[in-house]
Amino acid sequence: MSGIAETVSCLDGYDPDALRVDKAREAIFACVSPIEESEAIGIRQALGRVLAEDIVPRINVPAHDNSAMDGYAVRFSDLHDRETSLQEVGAALAGRPFHGKAAAGQCVRIMTGAVMPEGMDTVVIQEVVQASADRKVLIPKGQKRGQNVRHAGEDLKVGVPVLASGKWLRPAEIGLIASLGIGEVRVKRRLRVTFFATGDELASIGAPLREGEVYDSNRYTLHGMLARLDVEIADLGVVRDDPAQLESAFRKAARQADVVITTGGVSVGEADFVKQLMAKLGEVLFWKIAMRPGRPMAFGKIGNAYLFGLPGNPVAVMVTFYQFVRDALLHLSGRTDDFSLPLLKATAAEALRKVPGRTEYQRGVLFKENAEWKVRTTGQQGSGVLRSMSEANCFIVLEHERGAVKAGEQVAVQLLEGLA
Ligand code: AMP
Ligand code: MG
């Protein structure tokens, strides 16, 4: 791959000093390529991982034609267009097939999941038949050929690929693989992500808070966001705004990780110093992104590791993580499904302040009122107000060109939670 600067300079509309969110995403995607290495693991452990092989069934699922209901297996050609009386000659249960041969005029008691007896093509549900003590079964008219029968291979067919490499494995896929009798699969190895926070003002939990200090929270939100993405995490702690300490932290992080994430130190006041350091260590671009919160951000490579230098403000960290880092990590991890966060529509329950020329990610509460989904903000929207994230269940995404929003207008929202 060519260098970072060379790759991004080819994108139209690339302006590092006023970079649109969509352009920043495009630039990142143009530069990151998925990891190749994989490992074989048991299917339970494969939950949340990325498949690194195609799954091609060697058996049909279901393996046999079987009944979808409890009732009687019949031969459709035996039925009249009035009531039909058949002789019950045996039973087929799930896991216990009927091995006899039923002749014309005969039927077999059958339970859900039981293999269809030879020659039978239709199941009549037990609720509609009349069975008598001498095992005569009265079938009402109006049955349909083939009803209530599940066919061999109707879920999965021998030789027809069902899951492709790159698929993210959810509970449904794990179950599906199990249904093929497969106990181990090849998945991409986990991404290794190393992070640290920078800032002379940062106190660590457990230490007293001295004048002018704040407790470092970014490492904890970052840890939480990364843990949910199922990556291998290494936390290098807090690093002072000191060239020698920063240099050694960057070198160490880049040696061990696929991705290095830092917070702080990329705002205008501090960037020059970090820029000089980066020029020595790797190839890193410093962006001013047309967004709020989260304007400054650095992106590039140190050695083989991708670097995301996020802003220091706690809300900006979360927003830039979700809008840029999350998707980059998912792409790097080898996923090929469309993993971008869906944008849904909701009605603004109140007027929202917004100026054109930047994308805003306001913290919102989505709620239902009179059968309509509405959204309001969580109030104070400062990029240091982490409470605004804690109270939110969504981002209200206000597009680049958009101006002020009136109550009642439609706005886009991104949910912060999915099915857990
Ligand atoms: P910076 O981007 O380094 O200029 O930081 C911007 C703001 O975020 C400052 O008010 C910092 O004190 C605050 N900040 C930076 N890092 C952290 C952190 N790890 N935890 C909490 N606040 C932070
Ligand atoms: Mg700082």
Side-chain angles (χ1 to χ4, degrees):
M1 195 194 75
S2 58
I4 296 273
E6 199 183 322
T7 306
V8 301
S9 65
C10 303
L11 304 171
D12 350 302
Y14 175 74
D15 173 2
D17 291 319
L19 192 59
R20 289 175 59 117
V21 168
D22 48 359
K23 286 287 155 195
R25 287 175 57 92
E26 199 180 319
I28 292 167
F29 276 96
C31 295
V32 301
S33 27
I35 54 164
E36 302 280 347
E37 300 96 309
S38 64
E39 57 184 331
I41 57 172
I43 56 171
R44 279 212 174 101
Q45 284 66 47
L47 181 66
R49 303 288 295 274
V50 179
L51 196 60
E53 62 178 330
D54 295 338
I55 302 290
V56 184
R58 293 196 189 165
I59 57 167
N60 282 321
V61 178
H64 309 277
D65 290 357
N66 68 86
S67 179
M69 301 295 276
D70 293 342
Y72 292 84
V74 305
R75 212 182 250 101
F76 185 75
S77 56
D78 281 350
L79 304 183
H80 311 298
D81 44 10
R82 53 187 155 79
E83 196 173 61
T84 309
S85 172
L86 299 174
Q87 180 68 42
E88 181 191 333
V89 293
L93 308 178
R96 275 191 275 155
F98 172 74
H99 288 299
K101 237 182 154 17
Q106 298 182 332
C107 67
V108 174
R109 179 87 173 108
I110 195 162
M111 296 297 161
T112 305
V115 174
M116 286 297 285
E118 209 186 309
M120 304 289 186
D121 57 4
T122 300
V123 171
V124 181
I125 59 172
Q126 61 191 19
E127 288 79 359
V128 301
V129 309
Q130 258 181 291
S132 53
D134 59 354
R135 308 226 283 174
K136 285 257 181 294
V137 178
L138 283 182
I139 310 281
K141 66 174 195 174
Q143 308 303 321
K144 293 202 173 62
R145 183 190 296 276
Q147 71 189 12
N148 303 320
V149 176
R150 303 190 286 218
H151 293 285
E154 101 182 3
D155 185 355
L156 307 174
K157 270 205 174 54
V158 172
V160 179
V162 57
L163 299 176
S165 178
K167 178 86 181 165
W168 182 46
L169 299 175
R170 303 167 303 163
E173 284 76 31
I174 302 297
L176 190 149
I177 294 167
S179 77
L180 292 168
I182 298 171
E184 207 175 67
V185 284
R186 194 152 268 289
V187 296
K188 298 276 182 163
R189 75 158 166 80
R190 278 203 177 91
L191 281 182
R192 292 189 275 267
V193 180
T194 295
F195 64 85
F196 57 90
T198 71
D200 283 339
E201 76 282 29
L202 301 180
S204 293
I205 295 173
L209 197 66
R210 288 193 293 253
E211 191 184 352
E213 290 187 338
V214 292
Y215 280 116
D216 158 37
S217 59
N218 287 344
R219 276 170 47 234
Y220 295 85
T221 44
L222 265 181
H223 183 275
M225 294 187 291
L226 288 168
R228 287 188 161 185
L229 291 182
D230 206 9
V231 297
E232 274 176 31
I233 303 171
D235 177 353
L236 299 189
V238 169
V239 179
R240 301 284 146 210
D241 293 320
D242 165 76
Q245 286 186 40
L246 279 169
E247 181 170 341
S248 89
F250 275 117
R251 283 191 194 280
K252 179 171 179 200
R255 262 198 312 272
Q256 66 186 35
D258 301 305
V259 174
V260 177
I261 302 174
T262 62
T263 70
V266 289
S267 54
V268 180
E270 294 176 302
D272 285 345
F273 148 70
V274 181
K275 266 184 196 164
Q276 279 170 16
L277 186 61
M278 289 302 165
K280 211 163 103 183
L281 295 177
E283 195 186 1
V284 176
L285 306 169
F286 286 78
W287 288 337
K288 290 193 186 78
I289 303 179
M291 72 187 290
R292 185 166 155 148
R295 199 158 104 95
M297 191 172 112
F299 168 70
K301 257 188 135 170
I302 302 178
N304 287 323
Y306 296 101
L307 171 78
F308 291 89
L310 306 185
N313 273 308
V315 181
V317 168
M318 295 195 78
V319 171
T320 49
F321 183 94
Y322 283 129
Q323 301 306 325
F324 303 112
V325 183
R326 171 192 177 272
D327 291 12
L329 293 180
L330 296 181
H331 179 63
L332 273 167
S333 72
R335 272 177 68 171
T336 50
D337 55 320
D338 181 6
F339 46 72
S340 55
L341 293 168
L343 282 170
L344 309 172
K345 291 280 174 213
T347 305
E350 58 189 11
L352 303 171
R353 275 202 241 161
K354 163 75 167 69
V355 291
R358 66 185 184 211
T359 306
E360 289 198 15
Y361 297 89
Q362 301 195 4
R363 275 72 71 206
V365 179
L366 187 65
F367 62 98
K368 202 172 181 181
E369 193 175 72
N370 306 327
E372 187 182 7
W373 285 99
K374 295 187 172 178
V375 67
R376 61 173 174 81
T377 73
T378 55
Q380 224 187 343
Q381 295 288 303
S383 65
V385 182
L386 197 50
R387 187 164 48 82
S388 70
M389 277 301 297
S390 170
E391 288 172 0
N393 61 11
C394 68
F395 286 126
I396 305 172
V397 182
L398 300 177
E399 302 82 359
H400 189 90
E401 279 81 15
R402 191 152 186 176
V405 175
K406 291 196 205 60
E409 282 182 30
Q410 293 291 103
V411 290
V413 297
Q414 274 175 342
L415 296 181
L416 297 180
E417 302 299 332
L419 265 187

